[in-house]
Amino acid sequence: MKKILVLMIIVLMVVPMVFAAGQAEKKTGYEIVVVPKDASNPWFVRMKVGVDEYAKETGLNVYQKGTAQIDATLQAQLIQDLIAQGVDALCVVPVDLESLEPVLSQARKAGIVVITHEGAGLENVDYDIEAFSNAGYGAFIMDNLAEAMNFEGVYTTMVASLTNGSHNEWADAGVARQKEAYPKMQLLAAEKRVESFDNGDVAYNGAKELFKKYPKLKGVMGTSSYDAPGVARAIEELGLIGKAFTSGTGMPLDNAALLESGVVQSLTLWDPALAGKAMIALAVKVLDGEKIEGVVDLGVDGYTNMKFKKGSKTVLEGEGWIVINAKNVYDFGF
Amino acid sequence: MAEGLLRAVDIYKSFVGVQALKKVSFEINPGEIHCLAGENGSGKSTLIKVISGVYSPDSGYMEFGGKRYEKITPIDAIQSGIQVIYQDFSIFPNLTVMENLAFNSELADRRKIVNWKRMRKIATDAIAKINFKVDLDAMVGTLTVAEKQMIAISRALMFNTKLIIMDEPTTALTKREVRNLFNIILKLKERGIAILFVSHKLNEVFEISEKFTILRSGELVATGSTADLDSEKFSFFMTGREFQKKTFVPLNVSKEPIFQAKGIGMKSAFHDVSFDLRRGEIIGITGLLDSGRTELALSLFGIRPIDHGAVLVNGEEVKIINPQVAMQHKIGYVPEDRLSEGLFLTQSIADNIVISEIDSLANKIGILDHKRRSEEIERWVRELAISTPNPDNACQTLSGGNQQRVVLAKWLALNLDILILNGPTVGVDIGSKHDIHGILQKLAEEGLALLIISDDLPEVLENCSRILVMKSGSIVADLDAAKSDEKTILSYMM
Amino acid sequence: MKSTISNTLQKLSRRNEPYVFLVLMLLCVLIEIRSGQFFSSNNLVDIASAFAVPGLFAIGAFMVIISGGIDVSFPALASLSVYATTKFLLDVNYQGGVWLAILIALALGAILGAFNGLFIGYFRLPALIVTLGSSSVFKGIMQGALNSKQLTVIPIGMKNFGTSSLFIAKNPVSGLTSRMPVAILAFLIVLFLVYFLMRYTMFGRGLYGIGGSEISAHRAGFGVRNTKFIMYVMVGMIASLAGVMRVCMMQQAHPTNMLGMEMNIIAGVVLGGTAITGGRGTLLGCMLGTLLIVIVENSLILIGVPTSWKSVFTGLLIIIGTGVSAYQVSRMNRVRSVETVAKEVV
Ligand SMILES: Nc1ncnc2c1ncn2[C@@H]1O[C@H](COP(=O)(O)OP(=O)(O)O)[C@@H](O)[C@H]1O
Ligand SMILES: [Mg+2]
């Protein structure tokens, strides 16, 4: 009896299931496939918008194909299928770097051009595209915060945790940018960096404490996508709208209400549609046999001035950040 | 038998592979104190559970208050006035005395809402019935065993009770508490309540009960009036063996003492204790629970070191500051509570035997010599007659008496000079008790020096050459066992 | 008279609550000294509002631990039922009040709690194993079947409830305002109901009894299985209510945001003197312990300690708390053995 019950539990625990999706149409020219982490995440739905737009503009056989679920194994299988299908180029947003290496190596051996996005650590690629350099993006967040704060006052920075690599690089770059460009602003000496643990509630309660303890505090530079929205809730509740400000990464639709009500002036982000286009554009250049060196112009907004990351021969960094505010918040569909 | 209260007729009960009860018949009259005796595993608890409806018998029937039951349900049993007090008393250690007392009747009345005033009244009434005084708001877990037992009895009396069954009620009680319990049992008897109590202690059976029933391997071997019973018969019925009492006579006592205590003391426990112990001698130390006897034993083994006086082993002063030092000087200690201190119950019998000599069984590079290990185990299982089909079984499969033998084996394997035993036969059945006494006497003859701490006066009288009586932390009498009796010892103890 | 006072004091000193209360007070004074903000009206309101959800969870965890069980699934249970509720109401474009959300979540919570109760109460599987398992099941359903992601828009009724306040506290010096959420009422109501349940019903006393000795409870005539089952259903409902409150107050439903809270909640309950082995503890102590944890979690910036020390601090609290209870147990045993000996002598 008990055994059956235990079995039942096990079966129930293995509930997560697999769907299959995707389609392919035959067109002329290069066949280039974009493989995102999955097919249904709004982020990649937005990427598909860019990919489809590119296909329409150029008439190339370019399409996006994703798995039903974010799963490294499923993604690897999908890529193997595409290799067998003999596509010309693969543009991949990897789920898991390590488990993808062997598959990408197969692809390259089969003569397929491999471009990745957010896969800076990968070896078996032709090139990897990053929307921006960490330093550039951090400075950009600071520009936004500074503008909201009218270029003066005390601010501090918030990261998911002190061990999070990119968040801290962004925050460092933001502080550096302030020192160089906004002399009337000061970093809060007593609390230079606060952690939010990627949790909106922690960001909210932490911000409340900060504003209570440091009445002079006027701005919080967020990094994680939970930071600015959490801080904004605190600003609103404490009655500090118009007196205290925050900026940072944030998804448009998630924060529509905050942006429209004016608690937050602007958030920063990169547009997956543009990233998708940029990957394809780069793939085309490689297939056309163009030499990729120096400053690369992919003809896509924010990706016109791409440079190799310091010390890397494969990673290209753009300036593909965008500002989201009350005006454009509904333009992205995610 | 119209006036009989309970009659059990030809009860059979078996568990998978075990015939726990075979054709057991006996009866109890109102107001009768009836003792149910038998060695461990003889079926006493099973019989109780059949009577109280926890188990239904395979065949046979019962008559209770003139009504015949092929099988009785627990509810029927309670309603006909049978109350069982289990060995664990079925109490809630985390709740107050008041709640423990009132719960059962509140539940029986199917109440949903708690009325604390009513609970207090129920509880007050319940303890008044047996003149039991206790703080109703005390947490039961903080009470003594005897007090817990009183709570269980008070609770049992709240119903229209005609028969109270107690499963081994005296095992965990001190002498004084047993007295008290017996007084209460006598009071209950006056009120016409019959008592069926399980015990395998000879003196208790004789002292309190009018009738007895003895089981052996699930079979009824004797039932009748206690007046017709004597201790030889009792032991025989219990074990099926004839025992002759063998009073210890020290034979080859060494001239020089192997162990000497000179004015030793430990703050707030005992003081100014001196005695000599020679090879071949068995010294008994007895006294009330607070007399300091246990502390003395612990300090001789270094568990709670002395702070006064000196200890000499073989004439040389030794500072026994911890058990390791004691063991280096060939002193061993068999604790009072073998279950928590002396044995690893879940480990095998074999491992328990060799655990303390494991170092000597290893060869030079530290690898265990399996052949020597099994030889050792075989030797001790044989010498101490540990009854087990397989020494690889867990220790907890053994009866109390056999567990005690394992503890002994563990120490004897070390080739000791001095062995201290605290309550060597507490909770051990009569057959094993006899065997253990025999083993101890034989060890003394072979030249070991033994120190037995015990409040079982017949035990010290029978097995020791000298008896030291302790009271309030000091030795008040040093008696020659052969010229002493229980009364003398008691007069010094009290 | 004197003796009754000293008697009462002695009894109090054997309980955990006074110690937790003392530590709590010391901590508050420390925060006040370091920040000058602790006893300001708006900060107290902030703490109360941060306490509502953990407080509800702690009440549920308290009941389970008292009964001798343990539940590590309540964050997942709450997440699943509130997520499903919110998503459903969004899908049907519900425009009404919050009551429907509460009702649906309570119903779901009861079902999910019954799942735990069935395996623990009726099939007698160990509570830790079952709730570890059900925790993954609940998470699995959320991620697999419901394909969960953050819901940043919640039904208008829930949103209004979450932002409405009983009163607004304004700090006269800094001008900062904080609102006392209406959600605190949900907490207070549950607190009162459970207090009554645990103190004045046979069901509640039965939970204590089962926690003390399941066999004794059975022999005394408690329906042990039913009692446990119903308790897990109740705890599921309380956890789900906490989930709804959390989502309303955050104005978004995040599927994983509450996961991982179980550790600190259970720690708070134990800190407040509830024995992890069951049977002993008071709701008051449980609330004090939880409050202590919540204040530590939400005051490190005020004290001026880097937030990365948060886990160190809560860890220390747990060690101190359990240390104090262990010390008390050992002291109680000592007192007991002395008393036993004393009785023997008389
Ligand atoms: N529930 C049970 N299942 C299987 N065997 C049992 C059970 N209860 C008792 N026994 C066996 O029945 C015999 C009698 O046990 P018990 O009545 O407990 O003896 P006593 O109380 O006299 O020590 C023992 O051999 C014991 O192992
Ligand atoms: Mg028994």
Side-chain angles (χ1 to χ4, degrees):
Chain A
M1 182 66 177
K2 278 191 184 169
K3 272 188 195 152
I4 298 175
L5 291 168
V6 172
L7 213 78
M8 262 170 64
I9 297 188
I10 294 171
V11 170
L12 275 167
M13 281 163 66
V14 193
V15 151
M17 69 222 94
V18 184
F19 297 93
Q23 82 298 346
E25 308 143 39
K26 207 75 209 134
K27 285 192 185 164
T28 51
Y30 298 132
E31 182 175 5
I32 302 173
V33 189
V34 177
V35 180
K37 287 187 190 177
D38 80 341
S40 52
N41 191 314
W43 183 262
F44 299 110
V45 173
R46 171 70 184 168
M47 186 172 276
K48 188 165 183 295
V49 172
V51 173
D52 292 346
E53 229 173 67
Y54 195 97
K56 214 182 243 162
E57 281 163 16
T58 59
L60 289 174
N61 184 11
V62 175
Y63 57 92
Q64 178 167 325
K65 189 167 182 171
T67 56
Q69 208 186 327
I70 297 189
D71 182 315
T73 327
L74 291 179
Q75 191 180 40
Q77 278 167 9
L78 174 61
I79 293 172
Q80 273 167 336
D81 290 349
L82 292 170
I83 297 171
Q85 194 179 313
V87 298
D88 297 301
L90 280 167
C91 301
V92 182
V93 188
V95 175
D96 177 60
L97 300 191
E98 219 162 287
S99 61
L100 217 52
E101 289 279 17
V103 192
L104 294 184
S105 143
Q106 270 177 35
R108 295 196 67 206
K109 278 189 195 129
I112 298 171
V113 171
V114 175
I115 308 289
T116 55
H117 173 52
E118 293 182 352
L122 285 168
E123 280 179 13
N124 292 302
V125 296
D126 289 89
Y127 298 100
D128 176 80
I129 287 187
E130 295 301 314
F132 46 67
S133 65
N134 283 332
Y137 185 60
F140 180 67
I141 299 176
M142 177 48 72
D143 289 342
N144 267 277
L145 179 67
E147 196 181 323
M149 289 171 69
N150 201 19
F151 310 106
E152 61 181 23
V154 179
Y155 75 97
T156 186
T157 59
M158 189 178 268
V159 293
S161 77
L162 291 178
T163 52
N164 182 307
S166 46
H167 287 179
N168 283 288
E169 278 183 49
W170 298 348
D172 287 343
V175 173
R177 173 75 175 162
Q178 172 268 316
K179 290 219 169 100
E180 139 206 327
Y182 310 113
K184 283 192 192 158
M185 289 171 67
Q186 298 109 36
L187 179 60
L188 179 65
E191 289 281 357
K192 293 185 179 120
R193 200 152 295 177
V194 189
E195 292 171 296
S196 70
F197 303 107
D198 262 334
N199 183 326
D201 207 46
V202 176
Y204 157 77
N205 282 318
K208 267 170 133 184
E209 279 188 68
L210 283 171
F211 287 120
K212 274 184 278 191
K213 169 123 184 179
Y214 306 104
K216 279 196 179 146
L217 184 66
K218 218 178 129 189
V220 177
M221 172 186 169
T223 51
S224 139
S225 62
Y226 296 97
D227 296 350
V231 176
R233 252 178 82 209
I235 291 176
E236 187 251 354
E237 188 183 324
L238 292 169
L240 289 174
I241 298 178
K243 295 181 197 143
F245 308 90
T246 184
S247 76
T249 310
M251 299 290 163
L253 283 189
D254 289 356
N255 297 298
L258 281 178
L259 290 164
E260 282 177 324
S261 66
V263 183
V264 181
Q265 276 70 23
S266 63
L267 292 169
T268 53
L269 197 64
W270 57 106
D271 185 349
L274 298 179
K277 277 189 185 178
M279 277 195 286
I280 304 168
L282 182 59
V284 172
K285 270 191 197 298
V286 177
L287 287 170
D288 286 345
E290 275 184 45
K291 261 231 152 86
I292 310 294
E293 51 188 15
V295 176
V296 184
D297 179 358
L298 298 178
V300 178
D301 271 356
Y303 299 84
T304 51
N305 192 19
M306 297 202 81
K307 292 179 191 122
F308 278 102
K309 184 179 176 173
K310 248 184 235 141
S312 169
K313 279 183 191 153
T314 53
V315 181
L316 282 161
E317 292 173 335
E319 291 163 348
W321 47 67
I322 49 170
V323 176
I324 296 157
N325 50 34
K327 271 179 246 142
N328 68 357
V329 66
Y330 290 110
D331 296 350
F332 303 91
F334 65 88
Chain B
M1 274 272 173
E3 16 95 78
L5 176 66
L6 168 75
R7 220 155 79 84
V9 181
D10 292 348
I11 304 287
Y12 282 82
K13 175 75 193 170
S14 65
F15 299 106
V16 257
V18 188
Q19 187 70 43
L21 294 175
K22 267 177 264 176
K23 202 171 171 13
V24 174
S25 306
F26 79 114
E27 56 183 64
I28 300 177
N29 293 323
E32 173 179 304
I33 301 177
H34 195 117
C35 175
L36 178 61
E39 300 202 281
N40 282 318
S42 58
K44 306 179 297 287
S45 297
T46 308
L47 182 57
I48 289 176
K49 285 178 182 156
V50 168
I51 296 173
S52 60
V54 176
Y55 296 150
S56 45
D58 298 341
S59 71
Y61 65 94
M62 281 183 298
E63 279 176 25
F64 197 84
K67 215 167 145 193
R68 183 180 156 132
Y69 295 93
E70 296 300 329
K71 58 173 125 178
I72 195 167
T73 67
I75 311 254
D76 287 338
I78 289 170
Q79 277 168 359
S80 357
I82 303 178
Q83 284 284 328
V84 181
I85 295 172
Y86 291 96
Q87 264 168 298
D88 62 3
F89 308 136
S90 286
I91 43 144
F92 301 100
N94 57 324
L95 299 181
T96 61
V97 173
M98 173 170 60
E99 279 190 273
N100 268 280
L101 286 168
F103 255 179
N104 292 33
S105 75
E106 292 288 277
L107 281 167
D109 293 349
R110 305 195 166 278
R111 300 217 191 258
K112 294 274 178 277
I113 300 293
V114 175
N115 178 337
W116 289 94
K117 262 199 198 136
R118 186 179 60 224
M119 295 251 272
R120 188 169 292 275
K121 182 162 182 324
I122 294 172
T124 315
D125 293 349
I127 56 172
K129 276 193 189 173
I130 54 166
N131 262 334
F132 170 43
K133 295 202 172 42
V134 65
D135 178 6
L136 287 182
D137 296 310
M139 216 193 259
V140 167
T142 64
L143 302 181
T144 62
V145 178
E147 286 171 320
K148 290 176 188 158
Q149 191 170 49
M150 290 304 135
I151 288 171
I153 294 175
S154 312
R155 198 170 56 188
L157 290 174
M158 291 196 307
F159 302 87
N160 175 27
T161 307
K162 300 201 184 93
L163 170 65
I164 294 184
I165 303 175
M166 301 187 200
D167 197 352
E168 306 207 18
T170 58
T171 357
L173 298 190
T174 64
K175 276 206 153 54
R176 177 176 299 273
E177 290 167 337
V178 171
R179 274 259 80 66
N180 200 1
L181 173 67
F182 283 0
N183 285 336
I184 285 174
I185 289 183
L186 290 173
K187 270 194 208 128
L188 296 178
K189 174 189 164 62
E190 277 167 27
R191 304 211 334 246
I193 296 172
I195 313 282
L196 173 65
F197 84 98
V198 173
S199 173
H200 41 220
K201 290 187 194 159
L202 185 73
N203 52 346
E204 289 173 359
V205 177
F206 285 113
E207 183 174 347
I208 185 91
S209 62
E210 308 154 281
K211 294 281 174 60
F212 71 92
T213 295
I214 297 178
L215 297 181
R216 189 166 74 223
S217 314
E219 279 179 279
L220 183 130
V221 288
T223 180
S225 177
T226 319
D228 304 334
L229 196 66
D230 62 31
S231 81
E232 270 80 46
K233 274 192 198 157
F234 180 79
S235 307
F236 175 70
F237 288 144
M238 292 272 284
T239 60
R241 293 195 280 162
E242 303 261 12
F243 300 107
Q244 311 105 317
K245 223 190 232 167
K246 189 173 168 250
T247 309
F248 175 61
V249 186
L251 290 173
N252 31 39
V253 177
S254 67
K255 241 168 97 202
E256 295 306 316
I258 185 163
F259 184 94
Q260 287 165 283
K262 297 213 154 146
I264 59 173
M266 189 177 73
K267 221 178 126 225
S268 73
F270 60 90
H271 44 85
D272 217 12
V273 169
S274 304
F275 63 89
D276 293 354
L277 176 64
R278 293 176 167 75
R279 281 178 181 280
E281 232 185 350
I282 305 181
I283 293 187
I285 296 181
T286 188
L288 293 178
L289 192 64
D290 66 328
S291 61
R293 57 178 159 97
T294 299
E295 287 83 354
L296 177 61
L298 293 176
S299 65
L300 294 180
F301 189 56
I303 296 173
R304 295 174 64 183
I306 52 169
D307 47 27
H308 270 94
V311 165
L312 278 65
V313 177
N314 283 321
E316 276 174 44
E317 182 168 352
V318 172
K319 295 234 178 305
I320 303 179
I321 47 167
N322 58 38
Q324 285 74 30
V325 176
M327 281 161 73
Q328 276 162 21
H329 291 89
K330 304 204 158 208
I331 302 175
Y333 176 68
V334 177
E336 200 167 17
D337 183 0
R338 62 175 173 273
L339 300 188
S340 63
E341 293 169 36
L343 283 178
F344 301 98
L345 282 179
T346 52
Q347 301 290 322
S348 73
I349 296 163
D351 283 337
N352 269 289
I353 292 176
V354 297
I355 178 118
S356 28
E357 57 163 343
I358 201 92
D359 287 342
S360 66
L361 290 183
N363 61 19
K364 265 176 245 135
I365 52 169
I367 292 171
L368 193 63
D369 183 338
H370 282 277
K371 191 154 156 276
R372 278 190 52 208
R373 176 178 176 273
S374 34
E375 279 168 9
E376 274 292 306
I377 291 160
E378 200 187 312
R379 172 174 157 222
W380 291 112
V381 167
R382 191 181 56 230
E383 226 159 88
L384 298 186
I386 297 170
S387 79
T388 176
N390 182 354
D392 290 327
N393 288 351
C395 229
Q396 59 197 2
T397 61
L398 293 177
S399 70
N402 279 304
Q403 286 179 2
Q404 187 70 317
R405 292 176 210 218
V406 174
V407 180
L408 274 178
K410 172 178 128 178
W411 286 109
L412 296 177
L414 287 176
N415 285 323
L416 298 168
D417 286 341
I418 302 159
L419 185 60
I420 305 166
L421 301 110
N422 196 355
T425 57
V426 171
V428 165
D429 59 79
I430 193 160
S432 289
K433 187 170 173 178
H434 182 86
D435 292 347
I436 288 173
H437 288 163
I439 292 167
L440 296 180
Q441 297 190 10
K442 187 166 143 255
L443 289 169
E445 274 159 33
E446 288 168 7
L448 197 68
L450 290 108
L451 203 58
I452 295 178
I453 291 103
S454 171
D455 59 357
D456 182 343
L457 298 184
E459 176 170 86
V460 284
L461 281 166
E462 193 181 315
N463 294 291
C464 301
S465 37
R466 271 164 59 216
I467 300 170
L468 308 178
V469 185
M470 286 186 79
K471 184 181 173 185
S472 311
S474 51
I475 293 181
V476 291
D478 184 342
L479 307 169
D480 182 345
K483 295 179 191 138
S484 210
D485 57 29
E486 286 193 40
K487 232 160 119 198
T488 324
I489 301 180
L490 272 172
S491 70
Y492 283 112
M493 269 166 75
M494 293 300 180
Chain C
M1 186 64 205
K2 225 180 198 169
S3 77
T4 54
I5 290 177
S6 76
N7 225 329
T8 321
L9 277 180
Q10 206 184 354
K11 268 188 190 158
L12 269 180
S13 77
R14 286 185 207 172
R15 297 178 57 173
N16 236 21
E17 290 89 339
Y19 297 98
V20 182
F21 186 73
L22 209 72
V23 175
L24 197 62
M25 281 299 119
L26 285 177
L27 180 68
C28 296
V29 169
L30 172 76
I31 301 169
E32 178 67 28
I33 291 170
R34 298 279 302 177
S35 68
Q37 292 290 322
F38 187 83
F39 291 109
S40 62
S41 57
N42 66 321
N43 187 58
L44 293 177
V45 168
D46 283 345
I47 298 223
S49 104
F51 182 65
V53 169
L56 277 169
F57 278 140
I59 292 172
F62 169 75
M63 290 171 71
V64 175
I65 295 176
I66 283 294
S67 80
I70 186 88
D71 182 1
V72 294
S73 72
F74 60 84
L77 186 152
S79 302
L80 172 55
S81 57
V82 72
Y83 188 83
T85 305
T86 314
K87 194 165 164 129
F88 170 73
L89 292 180
L90 283 176
D91 286 350
V92 300
N93 199 15
Y94 175 70
Q95 299 290 327
V98 71
W99 59 270
L100 185 62
I102 293 179
L103 279 185
I104 297 177
L106 285 180
L108 285 176
I111 294 168
L112 300 178
F115 182 83
N116 281 336
L118 187 73
F119 286 98
I120 300 169
Y122 286 102
F123 300 129
R124 304 211 193 171
L125 297 175
L128 182 63
I129 307 289
V130 170
T131 53
L132 276 172
S134 62
S135 186
S136 339
V137 171
F138 299 158
K139 283 183 226 165
I141 294 175
M142 208 156 41
Q143 281 152 14
L146 299 181
N147 196 7
S148 61
K149 54 182 203 292
Q150 188 172 342
L151 302 174
T152 46
V153 179
I154 60 173
I156 184 77
M158 291 173 75
K159 185 172 170 151
N160 288 343
F161 176 77
T163 49
S164 57
S165 55
L166 290 175
F167 59 86
I168 289 174
K170 184 165 181 153
N171 186 325
V173 185
S174 63
L176 295 179
T177 55
S178 286
R179 52 173 177 253
M180 179 65 95
V182 180
I184 197 85
L185 286 182
F187 162 72
L188 291 174
I189 291 169
V190 171
L191 181 66
F192 172 77
L193 287 179
V194 172
Y195 174 78
F196 181 83
L197 187 81
M198 295 304 280
R199 175 111 190 114
Y200 291 106
T201 67
M202 284 309 274
F203 176 85
R205 301 318 295 172
L207 290 181
Y208 276 97
I210 292 169
S213 165
E214 207 170 315
I215 296 180
S216 298
H218 184 71
R219 290 196 195 133
F222 275 113
V224 173
R225 294 172 173 209
N226 284 330
T227 307
K228 280 193 185 177
F229 177 79
I230 294 170
M231 178 200 69
Y232 279 101
V233 170
M234 286 180 178
V235 169
M237 293 168 75
I238 294 173
S240 294
L241 182 65
V244 174
M245 295 305 129
R246 170 73 166 236
V247 163
C248 292
M249 285 163 75
M250 290 239 328
Q251 296 159 52
Q252 49 171 266
H254 193 283
T256 59
N257 188 297
M258 284 183 279
L259 303 183
M261 279 176 85
E262 64 274 11
M263 269 303 135
N264 281 352
I265 297 289
I266 292 171
V269 175
V270 174
L271 199 55
T274 305
I276 195 78
T277 45
R280 276 206 339 262
T282 62
L283 202 49
L284 173 69
C286 155
M287 289 295 103
L288 288 176
T290 311
L291 188 59
L292 192 55
I293 296 261
V294 167
I295 290 182
V296 167
E297 285 200 310
N298 287 301
S299 299
L300 288 186
I301 293 177
L302 287 183
I303 304 177
V305 174
T307 45
S308 29
W309 286 79
K310 192 181 267 187
S311 49
V312 175
F313 266 64
T314 38
L316 273 179
L317 259 187
I318 294 166
I319 294 171
I320 294 170
T322 41
V324 167
S325 4
Y327 169 74
Q328 276 174 289
V329 169
S330 77
R331 215 179 54 157
M332 208 153 85
N333 287 344
R334 226 178 14 246
V335 168
R336 195 185 126 195
S337 68
V338 168
E339 277 168 6
T340 317
V341 169
K343 274 174 193 152
E344 180 74 14
V345 174
V346 177

